[in-house]
Amino acid sequence: MSAVLIKTPEGQQAFKERSALLAGKVRSAFLLFDGQRSVSQVLAATQGLGVVQADIQALQQAGFLQDLVAHTPDLAPVDMPQRSDQDRYRDAYPLAVALTGKLGLSGFRLNLSVEGATCYADLAAVAPKIKEAVGPAAYAPLQQALFA
């Protein structure tokens, strides 16, 4: 499936309310649907987290994601504003906490560093240590959220 999906208002609200339907690995995948990445790209980026096609379909069935083409039937060019550092931080922080939290006691100090990061620059400075600790595959969604 190579469709390009976008978040719906219902999906954005569920994300803000930390809905159980958007918990764990699917929350990370949900963040990557920005109207530019295809489903295949998101699945590749979240492969290390164990996200599969069925997870994406469940988000669509819940009404949290919709096809970009269905949303813009005239296929007019969509202006995608540049993401601010604050937006990048907001998107990346939960991913960083989840990754370092899975490291257990061995990642305790790294987790404290992430939790102490209060802005984009702080989180970007800790990112290389996270990549080293979790590996490139698991780090990919965080890299996308921080630097894409």
Side-chain angles (χ1 to χ4, degrees), residues 25-40:
K25 64 184 180 181
V26 293
R27 187 173 182 86
S28 299
F30 180 79
L31 285 171
L32 296 177
F33 285 104
D34 59 1
Q36 295 180 355
R37 293 179 187 93
S38 69
V39 171
S40 300

Side-chain angles (χ1 to χ4, degrees), residues 8-61:
T8 65
E10 295 82 9
Q12 292 173 341
Q13 186 64 35
F15 181 83
K16 288 178 186 174
E17 294 174 355
R18 298 199 170 268
S19 167
L21 296 174
L22 279 175
K25 64 184 180 181
V26 293
R27 187 173 182 86
S28 299
F30 180 79
L31 285 171
L32 296 177
F33 285 104
D34 59 1
Q36 295 180 355
R37 293 179 187 93
S38 69
V39 171
S40 300
Q41 290 171 318
V42 172
L43 286 171
T46 56
Q47 178 181 8
L49 299 175
V51 176
V52 295
Q53 183 70 38
D55 296 320
I56 306 305
Q57 290 171 338
L59 291 175
Q60 284 183 281
Q61 290 170 350

Side-chain angles (χ1 to χ4, degrees), residues 98-123:
L99 286 172
T100 57
K102 290 179 184 176
L103 295 173
L105 196 53
S106 65
F108 179 71
R109 287 188 181 177
L110 184 56
N111 189 270
L112 287 178
S113 296
V114 169
E115 290 179 358
T118 59
C119 65
Y120 170 77
D122 292 348
L123 195 55

